[in-house]
């Protein structure tokens, strides 16, 4: 994975497979603490302890089309090699949270990548899922909530192709503002 | 190569969208544009494109392909639904996309970049001509696998 946005796209696919209808993506950046925190939380079907202990194993996967499952192990590796931390919590029937911490000053820190493109693409192709994207940069924060967007759009669907570049622009300009 | 834009109205000014209120303001403009198009309300009559968006696809650039597909199909005024799907087991050929033209069997294309995506739109979706890179499969649909 070349950047953090790719990890987000990947981990969120797990939440979608787990039948989540609420997915929250939280990013918190604190320069003075050398911290870049990325948390992905869902209300999907969750995992039991046995499965939870296996998901960081690259040779474990629920799919049948191939024998490896690299999404979680790659994120764990990329977080830990910056000196950061990685944790997954899950409760069957409640949901799963994937918590990762990066040390952005470390030379192995991944770039952020195309956050706005990733989030908006996820909202576009999963209109039935409620996405909350919370971006905190130092003291500033911005929240992109698909329920608010759906309300603003009215009868126009969130997955209408014409809306896609608009949402991207909305998120992009607000992220730029938050990072100032 | 590219067809004449059928939509003659001026494009929506993206730079002005900074808040939910801006979205609300632009709503009627979008609705007017949408009403000019004869879009079917029956999803089974639309071209369906599924982009394989598992770890293997993402790492190979599936997001760029999907972004291109959503934007270009809209610009070229082709009524289509672009969604994401999981890994089909063709990790070696990622990014892969499954294209279903109404009334035809789904076809899976491998090694898709934006150039190949353009060919798929122009040749296969518009004219039904086959394009290189088809993965021969004997399956009904991805979900059935």
């Amino acid at each position: 994975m070349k950047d953090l946005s790719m990890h987000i796209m990947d981990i969120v696919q797990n939440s979608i497979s787990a039948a989540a209808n609420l997915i929250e993506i939280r990013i918190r950046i604190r320069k003075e603490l050398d911290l870049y925190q990325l948390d992905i939380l869902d209300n999907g079907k969750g995992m039991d302890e046995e499965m939870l202990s296996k998901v960081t194993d690259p040779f474990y996967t629920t799919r049948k089309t191939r024998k490896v499952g690299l999404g979680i192990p790659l994120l764990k590796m990329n977080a830990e090699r910056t000196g950061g931390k990685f944790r997954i919590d899950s409760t069957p029937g409640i949901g799963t949270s994937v918590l990762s911490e990066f040390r952005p000053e470390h030379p192995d820190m991944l770039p952020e990548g195309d956050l706005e493109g990733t989030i908006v693409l996820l909202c576009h192709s999963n209109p039935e899922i409620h996405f909350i994207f919370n971006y905190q940069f130092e003291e500033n924060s911005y929240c992109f909530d698909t329920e608010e967007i759906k309300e603003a759009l009215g009868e126009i669907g969130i997955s209408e192709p014409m809306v896609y570049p608009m949402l991207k622009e909305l998120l992009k300009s607000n992220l730029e503002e938050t990072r100032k | 190569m590219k067809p004449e834009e059928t939509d003659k109205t001026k494009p929506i000014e993206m730079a002005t969208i900074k808040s939910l209120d801006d979205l609300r303001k632009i709503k009627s403009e979008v609705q007017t544009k949408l009403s000019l198009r004869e879009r079917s309300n029956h999803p089974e009559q639309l071209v369906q494109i599924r982009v394989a968006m598992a770890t293997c696809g993402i790492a190979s650039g599936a997001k760029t392909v999907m972004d291109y597909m959503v934007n270009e199909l809209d610009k070229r005024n082709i009524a289509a639904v672009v969604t994401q799907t999981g890994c089909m087991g063709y990790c070696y050929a990622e990014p892969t996309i499954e294209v279903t033209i109404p009334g035809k069997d789904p076809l899976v294309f491998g090694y898709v970049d934006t150039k190949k995506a353009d060919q798929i739109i122009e040749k296969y979706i518009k004219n039904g001509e086959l394009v290189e890179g088809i993965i021969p499969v004997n399956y009904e649909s991805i979900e059935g696998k």
Side-chain angles (χ1 to χ4, degrees):
Chain A
M1 293 290 163
K2 291 190 191 104
D3 58 50
L4 294 174
S5 75
M6 287 183 166
H7 278 299
I8 296 174
M9 180 70 91
D10 198 15
I11 300 304
V12 170
Q13 301 299 327
N14 293 345
S15 301
I16 297 169
S17 309
N21 59 19
L22 174 65
I23 301 174
E24 195 174 342
I25 301 151
R26 286 186 203 151
I27 291 177
R28 195 168 75 107
I29 301 159
R30 283 293 162 101
K31 285 264 162 70
E32 80 279 8
L33 300 174
D34 190 20
L35 176 73
Y36 188 110
Q37 197 177 330
L38 166 65
D39 297 341
I40 297 166
L41 311 115
D42 71 51
N43 68 347
K45 64 184 176 191
M47 295 177 280
D48 58 25
E49 269 180 46
E50 195 200 341
M51 190 171 169
L52 198 56
S53 65
K54 287 180 188 162
V55 290
T56 52
D57 172 0
F59 296 102
Y60 179 77
T61 177
T62 54
R63 77 180 74 248
K64 290 172 183 72
T65 51
R66 56 168 148 78
K67 289 176 183 162
V68 290
L70 298 177
I72 291 169
L74 284 176
L75 174 59
K76 182 172 188 275
M77 177 188 82
N78 279 329
E80 286 176 351
R81 74 173 177 190
T82 67
K85 291 179 208 158
F86 178 85
R87 205 176 93 199
I88 290 194
D89 294 328
S90 190
T91 316
I94 304 287
T96 301
S97 42
V98 176
L99 314 167
S100 49
E101 271 184 33
F102 295 77
R103 302 277 161 247
E105 293 298 319
H106 194 279
D108 285 333
M109 178 65 187
L110 292 179
E112 210 165 38
D114 179 19
L115 279 183
E116 60 270 12
T118 299
I119 302 292
V120 173
L121 210 48
L122 282 167
C123 302
H124 171 85
S125 48
N126 303 285
E128 68 290 349
I129 296 176
H130 179 186
F131 284 100
I132 300 172
F133 174 51
N134 203 307
Y135 191 83
Q136 278 184 47
F137 186 88
E138 309 295 351
E139 299 303 314
N140 303 332
S141 75
Y142 175 67
C143 187
F144 182 90
D145 185 325
T146 54
E147 285 301 301
E148 285 174 15
I149 287 166
K150 280 177 195 163
E151 186 270 316
L153 287 172
E155 50 272 54
I156 305 169
I158 197 167
S159 53
E160 165 55 46
M162 209 184 279
V163 167
Y164 171 73
M166 299 171 146
L167 295 185
K168 220 164 134 176
E169 180 52 41
L170 171 74
L171 185 52
K172 186 174 172 241
S173 57
N174 280 288
L175 288 182
E176 276 166 9
E177 194 60 34
T178 312
R179 288 189 198 108
K180 268 181 192 165
Chain B
M1 282 298 278
K2 284 181 187 173
E4 282 285 306
E5 294 267 334
T6 47
D7 201 339
K8 295 273 194 282
T9 48
K10 70 173 174 47
I12 291 168
E13 190 52 67
M14 291 299 164
T16 58
I17 306 167
K18 300 207 184 309
S19 69
L20 291 175
D21 270 339
D22 294 336
L23 273 186
R24 286 188 192 99
K25 277 179 212 152
I26 224 157
K27 218 166 72 176
S28 63
E29 209 180 321
V30 175
Q31 264 160 338
T32 319
K33 276 171 162 280
L34 285 177
S35 62
L36 291 174
R37 299 182 177 183
E38 284 176 34
R39 281 241 164 122
S40 161
N41 287 323
H42 302 282
E44 69 277 4
Q45 290 169 15
L46 302 174
V47 177
Q48 301 219 29
I49 296 169
R50 293 201 270 197
V51 182
M53 197 65 78
T55 312
C56 45
I58 296 165
S60 318
K63 202 209 81 202
T64 314
V65 173
M66 184 167 174
D67 179 81
Y68 182 85
M69 278 291 186
V70 176
N71 280 324
E72 288 301 313
L73 290 165
D74 188 52
K75 277 187 202 157
R76 300 179 199 186
N77 218 352
I78 299 168
V81 186
V82 186
T83 52
Q84 303 175 337
T85 184
C87 171
M88 296 181 263
Y90 307 110
C91 308
Y92 61 91
E94 294 293 348
T96 56
I97 66 169
E98 184 200 63
V99 182
T100 314
I101 292 179
K104 290 190 184 176
D105 284 337
L107 268 189
V108 177
F109 295 87
Y111 305 105
V112 182
D113 54 12
T114 51
K115 208 175 140 199
K116 175 67 78 59
D118 175 57
Q119 283 178 5
I120 293 170
I121 297 174
E122 289 302 316
K123 291 189 175 165
Y124 182 61
I125 296 177
K126 284 194 178 168
N127 301 324
E129 288 171 44
L130 295 182
V131 188
E132 242 180 274
I134 294 167
I135 298 178
V137 274
N138 43 353
Y139 70 106
E140 295 298 322
S141 79
I142 293 167
E143 262 75 53
K145 270 215 131 184

